[in-house]
Amino acid sequence: AVVSTQSTGTTAKLFDAKTFQFLKSYKTDRPVNSAAVSPIKHHILLGGGQEAMEVTTSHTKSGKFEARFFHLIFEEEIGRVKGHFGPINTLAFHPNGKQYSSGAEDGYVRIHDFDQSYYDFEYDF
């Protein structure tokens, strides 16, 4: 079992849940507010975006309010999902791994279903 941490910085970290040993780090160019680990794939999902106090002074495209998928082991970004118009504050995978939800400061909770390409994707190393 693992546990993730994130703060006002641009990094999420993964730790062993029993020993609290540091395992991995995932770096973005925007604040990370939430993270979730897939129950079926070697993926971690990060959400955040531009600082909330700066949102009203810039265009929504510059806020980068995207959910970002990283390979859990190799620490590399492998995809993004757009959809929110404010910083993402919470993420969660469904226990069956076939959906995830995201909640943001735009006032919406979005439920995302994965299409077949998500299951077919294999990381080349």
Side-chain angles (χ1 to χ4, degrees):
V2 294
V3 63
S4 66
T5 64
Q6 50 285 331
S7 63
T8 57
T10 59
T11 303
K13 295 181 180 181
L14 198 67
F15 294 87
D16 181 282
K18 292 183 181 180
T19 66
F20 297 109
Q21 178 183 354
F22 170 77
L23 300 173
K24 301 286 180 181
S25 181
Y26 310 93
K27 180 88 172 129
T28 71
D29 61 347
R30 296 290 180 177
V32 178
N33 298 337
S34 185
V37 177
S38 170
I40 63 169
K41 302 279 271 181
H42 291 292
H43 298 165
I44 185 168
L45 181 60
L46 307 183
Q50 180 179 5
E51 293 286 347
M53 64 184 186
E54 297 173 7
V55 171
T56 58
T57 61
S58 65
H59 193 274
T60 57
K61 289 183 180 179
S62 66
K64 297 188 179 180
F65 310 124
E66 303 156 329
R68 296 175 176 209
F69 287 83
F70 282 76
H71 192 281
L72 193 67
I73 297 166
F74 299 113
E75 304 175 45
E76 292 185 10
E77 186 173 340
I78 55 175
R80 294 182 186 193
V81 176
K82 296 180 181 183
H84 284 288
F85 298 100
I88 297 171
N89 289 328
T90 189
L91 294 165
F93 276 95
H94 188 281
N96 69 14
K98 296 181 179 181
Q99 299 174 316
Y100 79 91
S101 58
S102 57
E105 289 187 28
D106 59 7
Y108 291 97
V109 173
R110 299 184 184 278
I111 299 173
H112 307 265
D113 291 301
F114 294 115
D115 58 19
Q116 189 60 42
S117 64
Y118 176 77
Y119 305 108
D120 295 340
F121 174 78
E122 292 191 24
Y123 187 82
D124 293 325
F125 57 94

